[in-house]
Protein backbone atom coordinates (compact mmCIF):
# COMPACT_ATOMS: atom_id res chain seq x y z
CA UNK A 1 0.00 0.00 0.00
CA UNK A 2 1.47 3.31 -1.01
CA UNK A 3 1.36 6.49 1.02
CA UNK A 4 -0.76 9.55 0.30
CA UNK A 5 -4.38 10.46 0.74
CA UNK A 6 -7.65 9.14 -0.64
CA UNK A 7 -8.85 11.46 -3.37
CA UNK A 8 -12.51 10.68 -2.65
CA UNK A 9 -12.45 11.83 0.97
CA UNK A 10 -14.95 14.62 1.38
CA UNK A 11 -13.11 16.97 3.77
CA UNK A 12 -10.05 19.13 3.23
CA UNK A 13 -7.04 16.97 4.02
CA UNK A 14 -4.51 18.29 6.53
CA UNK A 15 -1.11 19.04 4.97
CA UNK A 16 0.54 19.92 8.28
CA UNK A 17 -0.96 18.76 11.52
CA UNK A 18 -0.12 18.25 15.18
CA UNK A 19 -1.25 15.39 17.41
CA UNK A 20 -3.10 16.17 20.63
CA UNK A 21 -4.20 14.10 23.58
CA UNK A 22 -5.44 10.51 23.38
CA UNK A 23 -9.22 10.37 23.14
CA UNK A 24 -9.64 6.63 22.77
CA UNK A 25 -8.16 3.30 21.81
CA UNK A 26 -9.28 0.20 20.01
CA UNK A 27 -8.19 -3.20 18.85
CA UNK A 28 -6.35 -1.53 15.94
CA UNK A 29 -4.33 1.02 17.96
CA UNK A 30 -4.88 4.53 19.31
CA UNK A 31 -7.13 7.53 18.65
CA UNK A 32 -5.88 11.10 19.14
CA UNK A 33 -7.35 14.54 18.76
CA UNK A 34 -5.42 16.46 16.12
CA UNK A 35 -5.24 19.98 14.71
CA UNK A 36 -4.78 21.18 11.15
CA UNK A 37 -1.99 23.76 11.48
CA UNK A 38 -3.08 25.60 8.35
CA UNK A 39 -6.67 26.17 9.46
CA UNK A 40 -6.76 25.48 13.21
CA UNK A 41 -9.51 22.95 12.59
CA UNK A 42 -9.83 19.87 14.77
CA UNK A 43 -10.07 16.29 13.57
CA UNK A 44 -9.32 12.80 14.85
CA UNK A 45 -6.41 10.60 13.84
CA UNK A 46 -6.55 6.83 14.24
CA UNK A 47 -3.15 5.16 14.20
CA UNK A 48 -1.99 1.57 13.88
CA UNK A 49 1.45 0.00 13.77
CA UNK A 50 0.91 -3.73 14.34
CA UNK A 51 0.22 -6.00 11.36
CA UNK A 52 -3.27 -6.84 12.60
CA UNK A 53 -4.02 -3.22 13.44
CA UNK A 54 -2.88 -2.08 10.00
CA UNK A 55 -5.15 -4.66 8.39
CA UNK A 56 -8.28 -3.45 10.13
CA UNK A 57 -7.47 0.25 9.88
CA UNK A 58 -6.76 -0.13 6.16
CA UNK A 59 -10.09 -1.93 5.79
CA UNK A 60 -11.83 0.94 7.59
CA UNK A 61 -10.11 3.47 5.32
CA UNK A 62 -11.24 1.56 2.23
CA UNK A 63 -14.83 1.54 3.46
CA UNK A 64 -14.93 5.19 4.57
CA UNK A 65 -13.41 6.60 1.40
CA UNK A 66 -16.27 5.09 -0.61
CA UNK A 67 -19.03 6.58 1.56
CA UNK A 68 -20.64 10.00 1.48
CA UNK A 69 -23.54 10.36 3.89
CA UNK A 70 -24.51 12.83 6.62
CA UNK A 71 -25.11 9.79 8.83
CA UNK A 72 -21.57 8.37 8.56
CA UNK A 73 -18.36 9.96 9.86
CA UNK A 74 -16.36 11.51 7.06
CA UNK A 75 -12.85 10.55 6.03
CA UNK A 76 -10.38 13.42 5.68
CA UNK A 77 -7.47 11.36 4.40
CA UNK A 78 -4.70 8.97 5.37
CA UNK A 79 -0.95 8.74 5.37
CA UNK A 80 1.66 6.02 5.68
CA UNK A 81 4.76 6.62 7.78
CA UNK A 82 7.72 4.55 6.69
CA UNK A 83 5.47 1.78 5.44
CA UNK A 84 4.89 0.53 9.00
CA UNK A 85 2.41 3.00 10.50
CA UNK A 86 -0.95 4.10 9.13
CA UNK A 87 -2.72 7.30 10.19
CA UNK A 88 -6.38 7.64 9.25
CA UNK A 89 -7.87 11.13 9.50
CA UNK A 90 -11.57 11.39 10.42
CA UNK A 91 -13.86 14.31 11.21
CA UNK A 92 -14.11 15.29 14.87
CA UNK A 93 -17.46 14.75 16.62
CA UNK A 94 -17.41 17.01 19.66
CA UNK A 95 -20.31 15.30 21.44
CA UNK A 96 -18.45 12.03 21.83
CA UNK A 97 -20.09 8.61 21.61
CA UNK A 98 -23.59 7.58 22.66
CA UNK A 99 -21.95 5.67 25.49
CA UNK A 100 -20.34 8.91 26.73
CA UNK A 101 -23.58 10.84 26.43
CA UNK A 102 -25.53 8.15 28.29
CA UNK A 103 -23.07 8.26 31.19
CA UNK A 104 -23.10 12.05 31.29
CA UNK A 105 -26.89 12.27 31.48
CA UNK A 106 -27.77 10.05 34.40
CA UNK A 107 -26.69 6.65 33.09
CA UNK A 108 -29.63 6.17 30.72
CA UNK A 109 -31.49 8.21 28.14
CA UNK A 110 -35.10 9.33 27.97
CA UNK A 111 -37.19 7.41 25.46
CA UNK A 112 -37.92 10.58 23.49
CA UNK A 113 -34.20 11.05 22.89
CA UNK A 114 -33.73 7.35 22.13
CA UNK A 115 -36.38 7.61 19.41
CA UNK A 116 -34.53 10.51 17.80
CA UNK A 117 -31.14 8.82 17.95
CA UNK A 118 -32.53 5.51 16.73
CA UNK A 119 -34.02 7.15 13.65
CA UNK A 120 -30.65 8.72 12.81
CA UNK A 121 -28.88 5.40 13.29
CA UNK A 122 -31.43 3.72 11.03
CA UNK A 123 -30.83 6.29 8.30
CA UNK A 124 -27.14 5.46 8.49
CA UNK A 125 -27.80 1.72 8.36
CA UNK A 126 -30.18 2.14 5.44
CA UNK A 127 -27.47 3.99 3.53
CA UNK A 128 -24.85 1.33 4.32
CA UNK A 129 -27.11 -1.58 3.43
CA UNK A 130 -28.17 0.02 0.16
CA UNK A 131 -24.47 0.21 -0.67
CA UNK A 132 -23.85 -3.43 0.22
CA UNK A 133 -22.02 -2.75 3.49
CA UNK A 134 -22.64 -4.39 6.87
CA UNK A 135 -21.30 -2.38 9.81
CA UNK A 136 -20.80 -5.49 11.99
CA UNK A 137 -19.96 -3.66 15.22
CA UNK A 138 -22.89 -1.36 16.00
CA UNK A 139 -23.08 -0.30 19.66
CA UNK A 140 -23.28 2.96 21.62
CA UNK A 141 -19.51 3.38 21.64
CA UNK A 142 -19.45 3.33 17.82
CA UNK A 143 -22.16 5.96 17.31
CA UNK A 144 -20.91 9.55 17.57
CA UNK A 145 -22.67 12.87 18.14
CA UNK A 146 -21.84 16.41 17.14
CA UNK A 147 -22.42 19.29 19.53
CA UNK A 148 -25.60 20.12 17.58
CA UNK A 149 -27.03 16.60 17.96
CA UNK A 150 -26.10 15.09 14.60
CA UNK A 151 -25.70 11.32 14.91
CA UNK A 152 -23.15 9.45 12.79
CA UNK A 153 -21.98 5.85 12.55
CA UNK A 154 -18.28 5.29 13.19
CA UNK A 155 -15.61 2.56 13.56
CA UNK A 156 -15.76 0.55 10.35
CA UNK A 157 -12.84 -1.76 11.09
CA UNK A 158 -15.16 -4.78 11.28
CA UNK A 159 -17.32 -3.75 8.32
CA UNK A 160 -17.75 -5.98 5.28
CA UNK A 161 -19.03 -5.62 1.76
CA UNK A 162 -21.65 -8.19 0.89
CA UNK A 163 -23.44 -9.57 -2.12
CA UNK A 164 -23.40 -7.60 -5.37
CA UNK A 165 -20.30 -5.47 -5.05
CA UNK A 166 -17.34 -5.33 -7.48
CA UNK A 167 -14.80 -5.44 -4.65
CA UNK A 168 -16.28 -7.64 -1.92
CA UNK A 169 -14.36 -8.13 1.32
CA UNK A 170 -14.03 -11.82 2.29
CA UNK A 171 -16.69 -12.92 4.75
CA UNK A 172 -14.70 -15.63 6.49
CA UNK A 173 -14.45 -15.39 10.26
CA UNK A 174 -16.39 -13.42 12.85
CA UNK A 175 -16.08 -9.72 13.64
CA UNK A 176 -17.73 -7.52 16.21
CA UNK A 177 -18.50 -7.30 19.92
CA UNK A 178 -20.08 -10.53 21.25
CA UNK A 179 -22.84 -9.02 23.41
CA UNK A 180 -24.18 -7.04 20.43
CA UNK A 181 -23.77 -9.83 17.87
CA UNK A 182 -26.70 -11.56 16.20
CA UNK A 183 -27.16 -15.29 16.92
CA UNK A 184 -26.51 -16.29 13.32
CA UNK A 185 -23.30 -14.26 13.28
CA UNK A 186 -21.93 -15.99 16.35
CA UNK A 187 -22.80 -19.34 14.77
CA UNK A 188 -21.02 -18.09 11.62
CA UNK A 189 -23.98 -19.43 9.71
CA UNK A 190 -24.78 -18.44 6.15
CA UNK A 191 -22.26 -15.61 5.92
CA UNK A 192 -22.69 -12.02 7.02
CA UNK A 193 -25.95 -10.25 6.26
CA UNK A 194 -27.46 -6.82 6.83
CA UNK A 195 -29.95 -8.37 9.26
CA UNK A 196 -27.14 -8.74 11.79
CA UNK A 197 -26.89 -4.95 12.08
CA UNK A 198 -30.58 -4.78 12.98
CA UNK A 199 -30.08 -7.20 15.88
CA UNK A 200 -27.18 -5.01 17.05
CA UNK A 201 -29.45 -1.96 16.80
CA UNK A 202 -31.89 -3.61 19.21
CA UNK A 203 -29.04 -4.25 21.64
CA UNK A 204 -27.89 -0.65 21.27
CA UNK A 205 -31.37 0.64 22.11
CA UNK A 206 -31.37 -1.49 25.28
CA UNK A 207 -27.96 -0.03 26.10
CA UNK A 208 -29.30 3.53 25.75
CA UNK A 209 -32.48 2.81 27.69
CA UNK A 210 -30.93 1.01 30.66
CA UNK A 211 -27.34 2.19 30.84
CA UNK A 212 -26.32 -1.47 30.99
CA UNK A 213 -24.78 -3.80 28.45
CA UNK A 214 -27.23 -5.98 26.54
CA UNK A 215 -27.78 -9.32 28.30
CA UNK A 216 -26.98 -7.72 31.67
CA UNK A 217 -28.35 -9.88 34.47
CA UNK A 218 -28.57 -12.93 32.23
CA UNK A 219 -24.95 -13.79 31.44
CA UNK A 220 -21.98 -13.99 33.79
CA UNK A 221 -18.97 -14.69 31.52
CA UNK A 222 -17.92 -14.57 27.85
CA UNK A 223 -18.32 -18.29 27.22
CA UNK A 224 -21.83 -18.25 28.64
CA UNK A 225 -22.58 -15.19 26.53
CA UNK A 226 -21.54 -16.73 23.24
CA UNK A 227 -23.32 -20.02 23.85
CA UNK A 228 -26.53 -18.45 25.09
CA UNK A 229 -26.78 -15.85 22.32
CA UNK A 230 -25.87 -18.29 19.58
CA UNK A 231 -27.67 -21.44 20.63
CA UNK A 232 -30.63 -20.62 22.87
CA UNK A 233 -34.00 -19.11 21.94
CA UNK A 234 -33.49 -16.29 24.43
CA UNK A 235 -33.17 -12.56 23.91
CA UNK A 236 -31.77 -9.77 26.09
CA UNK A 237 -34.10 -8.23 28.66
CA UNK A 238 -36.30 -5.48 27.23
CA UNK A 239 -36.57 -2.20 29.20
CA UNK A 240 -39.61 -2.63 31.45
CA UNK A 241 -40.40 1.11 31.34
CA UNK A 242 -40.56 1.28 27.53
CA UNK A 243 -43.72 2.27 25.67
CA UNK A 244 -45.74 -0.23 23.63
CA UNK A 245 -44.18 1.19 20.47
CA UNK A 246 -40.71 0.78 21.92
CA UNK A 247 -41.28 -2.84 22.95
CA UNK A 248 -42.77 -3.67 19.55
CA UNK A 249 -39.81 -2.03 17.82
CA UNK A 250 -37.41 -4.19 19.84
CA UNK A 251 -39.46 -7.25 18.92
CA UNK A 252 -38.86 -6.44 15.27
CA UNK A 253 -35.10 -5.89 15.81
CA UNK A 254 -34.45 -8.85 18.10
CA UNK A 255 -36.26 -11.49 16.10
CA UNK A 256 -33.95 -14.51 16.30
CA UNK A 257 -34.82 -15.63 12.78
CA UNK A 258 -32.93 -13.16 10.52
CA UNK A 259 -35.39 -13.84 7.70
CA UNK A 260 -38.21 -12.39 9.80
CA UNK A 261 -36.20 -9.49 11.19
CA UNK A 262 -37.33 -6.13 9.85
CA UNK A 263 -35.04 -4.24 7.50
CA UNK A 264 -33.81 -0.70 8.15
CA UNK A 265 -36.18 0.75 5.56
CA UNK A 266 -39.17 -1.00 7.17
CA UNK A 267 -38.18 0.11 10.66
CA UNK A 268 -38.04 3.73 9.51
CA UNK A 269 -41.83 3.52 9.09
CA UNK A 270 -42.38 2.14 12.58
CA UNK A 271 -44.16 4.58 14.97
CA UNK A 272 -41.30 4.31 17.47
CA UNK A 273 -39.22 6.46 15.12
CA UNK A 274 -42.02 7.75 12.89
CA UNK A 275 -44.97 9.02 14.98
CA UNK A 276 -47.06 9.65 11.87
CA UNK A 277 -47.05 6.00 10.90
CA UNK A 278 -50.36 4.16 11.16
CA UNK A 279 -48.96 0.65 10.75
CA UNK A 280 -48.85 0.07 14.50
CA UNK A 281 -52.51 0.85 15.11
CA UNK A 282 -53.82 -2.52 13.94
CA UNK A 283 -51.54 -4.58 16.18
CA UNK A 284 -51.14 -2.32 19.21
CA UNK A 285 -52.46 -3.86 22.44
CA UNK A 286 -55.38 -2.05 24.00
CA UNK A 287 -53.60 -1.86 27.35
CA UNK A 288 -50.47 -3.02 29.14
CA UNK A 289 -52.48 -6.05 30.29
CA UNK A 290 -53.00 -7.24 26.72
CA UNK A 291 -49.87 -9.40 26.43
CA UNK A 292 -51.11 -11.91 23.85
CA UNK A 293 -49.80 -9.88 20.93
CA UNK A 294 -46.22 -9.97 22.15
CA UNK A 295 -44.23 -13.21 22.46
CA UNK A 296 -43.43 -14.21 26.02
CA UNK A 297 -40.39 -12.20 27.06
CA UNK A 298 -38.64 -12.07 30.41
CA UNK A 299 -38.23 -8.44 31.36
CA UNK A 300 -36.76 -9.17 34.78
CA UNK A 301 -33.19 -8.42 35.74
CA UNK A 302 -32.63 -11.73 37.46
CA UNK A 303 -29.64 -13.75 36.30
CA UNK A 304 -29.99 -17.31 35.04
CA UNK A 305 -28.07 -19.40 37.51
CA UNK A 306 -28.28 -22.52 35.34
CA UNK A 307 -25.78 -21.16 32.84
CA UNK A 308 -23.07 -20.21 35.30
CA UNK A 309 -21.81 -23.40 36.95
CA UNK A 310 -21.37 -25.76 33.98
CA UNK A 311 -19.80 -23.08 31.78
CA UNK A 312 -17.33 -21.69 34.29
CA UNK A 313 -13.87 -23.17 33.85
CA UNK A 314 -10.40 -22.55 35.32
CA UNK A 315 -9.04 -20.52 32.44
CA UNK A 316 -6.56 -17.63 32.30
CA UNK A 317 -7.61 -14.05 32.79
CA UNK A 318 -8.10 -12.22 29.46
CA UNK A 319 -5.13 -10.23 28.25
CA UNK A 320 -5.21 -6.84 26.58
CA UNK A 321 -4.78 -8.53 23.19
CA UNK A 322 -8.08 -8.09 21.40
CA UNK A 323 -7.28 -10.35 18.47
CA UNK A 324 -7.93 -14.04 19.06
CA UNK A 325 -9.45 -17.02 17.23
CA UNK A 326 -13.21 -17.34 17.65
CA UNK A 327 -12.68 -21.09 18.17
CA UNK A 328 -11.19 -20.29 21.58
CA UNK A 329 -14.61 -19.20 22.78
CA UNK A 330 -16.35 -22.18 21.27
CA UNK A 331 -13.86 -24.59 22.84
CA UNK A 332 -14.45 -23.02 26.26
CA UNK A 333 -10.78 -22.01 26.57
CA UNK A 334 -11.42 -18.33 27.13
CA UNK A 335 -12.96 -16.95 30.30
CA UNK A 336 -12.67 -14.45 33.08
CA UNK A 337 -10.82 -14.17 36.34
CA UNK A 338 -12.69 -15.48 39.35
CA UNK A 339 -12.26 -11.97 40.72
CA UNK A 340 -15.11 -11.01 38.37
CA UNK A 341 -17.76 -13.63 39.18
CA UNK A 342 -20.85 -11.52 38.55
CA UNK A 343 -21.75 -9.70 35.35
CA UNK A 344 -23.58 -6.80 36.93
CA UNK A 345 -21.05 -6.05 39.66
CA UNK A 346 -17.82 -5.71 37.71
CA UNK A 347 -18.58 -5.75 33.99
CA UNK A 348 -20.42 -2.48 33.90
CA UNK A 349 -18.72 -1.15 30.76
CA UNK A 350 -17.96 -2.57 27.36
CA UNK A 351 -14.24 -1.97 27.87
CA UNK A 352 -13.99 -5.33 29.67
CA UNK A 353 -15.55 -7.14 26.73
CA UNK A 354 -13.21 -7.92 23.89
CA UNK A 355 -13.97 -7.07 20.29
CA UNK A 356 -13.80 -10.19 18.17
CA UNK A 357 -12.01 -9.65 14.88
CA UNK A 358 -10.81 -12.75 13.08
CA UNK A 359 -10.22 -13.63 9.46
Amino acid sequence: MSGGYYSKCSCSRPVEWVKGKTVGSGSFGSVHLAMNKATGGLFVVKSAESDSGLQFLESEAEILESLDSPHVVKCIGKEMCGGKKLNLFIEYMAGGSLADVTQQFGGKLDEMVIRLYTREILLGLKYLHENGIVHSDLKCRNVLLSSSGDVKLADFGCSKRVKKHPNPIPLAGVAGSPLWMAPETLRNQGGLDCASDIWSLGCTIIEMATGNLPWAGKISNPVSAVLRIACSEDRPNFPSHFSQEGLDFLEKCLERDPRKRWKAEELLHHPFVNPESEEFAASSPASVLDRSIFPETDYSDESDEEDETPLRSPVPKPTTNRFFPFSILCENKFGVSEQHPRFGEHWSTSEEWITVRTS
Side-chain angles (χ1 to χ4, degrees):
M1 180 177 60
S2 60
Y5 299 89
Y6 281 120
S7 60
K8 293 183 181 179
C9 291
S10 53
C11 301
S12 299
R13 66 191 186 194
V15 178
E16 292 188 68
W17 59 280
V18 58
K19 182 186 294 185
K21 68 176 184 178
T22 302
V23 293
S25 62
S27 51
F28 58 86
S30 61
V31 183
H32 287 80
L33 188 63
M35 178 184 291
N36 187 330
K37 294 176 68 174
T39 66
L42 301 179
F43 62 98
V44 169
V45 57
K46 302 179 74 170
S47 306
E49 297 184 35
S50 67
D51 290 341
S52 55
L54 284 170
Q55 176 185 350
F56 286 103
L57 197 55
E58 185 176 18
S59 175
E60 179 170 16
E62 191 277 332
I63 291 286
L64 283 178
E65 69 92 19
S66 68
L67 302 177
D68 184 14
S69 167
H71 308 292
V72 175
V73 292
K74 296 189 182 300
C75 168
I76 300 174
K78 72 170 186 178
E79 68 176 12
M80 286 295 297
C81 302
K84 295 182 179 180
K85 181 177 180 179
L86 173 63
N87 291 323
L88 178 62
F89 306 137
I90 300 173
E91 70 171 312
Y92 174 54
M93 300 290 285
S97 71
L98 275 184
D100 299 328
V101 171
T102 300
Q103 292 179 1
Q104 293 166 1
F105 287 88
K108 58 184 179 180
L109 299 179
D110 184 85
E111 183 173 332
M112 180 182 297
V113 177
I114 294 174
R115 290 175 184 242
L116 295 172
Y117 288 168
T118 299
R119 179 172 179 80
E120 296 299 304
I121 295 171
L122 273 173
L123 290 170
L125 291 179
K126 179 176 179 288
Y127 172 79
L128 292 181
H129 297 170
E130 287 176 345
N131 284 274
I133 294 173
V134 181
H135 186 282
S136 297
D137 198 17
L138 180 64
K139 56 184 178 181
C140 280
R141 193 159 295 281
N142 291 339
V143 180
L144 304 181
L145 282 80
S146 71
S147 57
S148 60
D150 295 329
V151 175
K152 299 191 180 187
L153 303 183
D155 196 341
F156 287 79
C158 290
S159 300
K160 306 288 186 182
R161 296 194 187 277
V162 295
K163 298 182 179 177
K164 302 174 182 178
H165 193 277
N167 298 305
I169 296 175
L171 298 179
V174 176
S177 303
L179 291 182
W180 289 260
M181 279 184 175
E184 69 276 8
T185 304
L186 284 172
R187 293 194 300 267
N188 204 14
Q189 218 174 39
L192 199 61
D193 187 80
C194 296
S196 63
D197 279 344
I198 301 303
W199 177 280
S200 299
L201 172 63
C203 293
T204 302
I205 293 171
I206 292 174
E207 193 183 359
M208 286 190 282
T210 65
N212 296 321
L213 305 183
W215 298 97
K218 283 195 171 188
I219 295 171
S220 61
N221 62 66
V223 177
S224 172
V226 170
L227 294 179
R228 185 160 188 170
I229 298 170
C231 303
S232 75
E233 292 300 318
D234 202 3
R235 294 181 293 186
N237 288 328
F238 288 11
S240 58
H241 61 279
F242 245 29
S243 65
Q244 296 171 8
E245 290 93 343
L247 295 175
D248 186 74
F249 189 90
L250 287 174
E251 294 278 355
K252 303 296 190 292
C253 293
L254 296 173
E255 165 61 54
R256 289 191 65 91
D257 185 345
R259 297 169 298 181
K260 298 179 181 178
R261 211 172 291 153
W262 279 29
K263 296 178 174 59
E265 185 173 3
E266 294 175 301
L267 288 170
L268 281 167
H269 295 288
H270 193 282
F272 182 67
V273 296
N274 184 4
E276 298 180 0
S277 173
E278 298 180 357
E279 294 181 16
F280 188 75
S283 61
S284 177
S287 74
V288 294
L289 300 178
D290 186 0
R291 296 291 300 278
S292 61
I293 293 174
F294 298 99
E296 289 300 318
T297 305
D298 178 15
Y299 298 113
S300 69
D301 290 329
E302 298 179 0
S303 62
D304 190 339
E305 299 295 338
E306 296 180 359
D307 285 346
E308 296 179 348
T309 302
L311 292 175
R312 194 181 297 280
S313 57
V315 292
K317 184 177 180 180
T319 66
T320 56
N321 179 15
R322 293 184 151 208
F323 296 90
F324 63 95
F326 178 67
S327 59
I328 291 178
L329 285 177
C330 298
E331 293 170 5
N332 201 12
K333 294 181 180 178
F334 185 86
V336 296
S337 165
E338 291 301 319
Q339 296 176 353
H340 301 284
R342 303 297 302 165
F343 180 97
E345 295 174 4
H346 298 286
W347 292 8
S348 59
T349 71
S350 60
E351 292 305 308
E352 302 205 29
W353 282 86
I354 47 183
T355 298
V356 180
R357 292 180 175 177
T358 68
S359 56

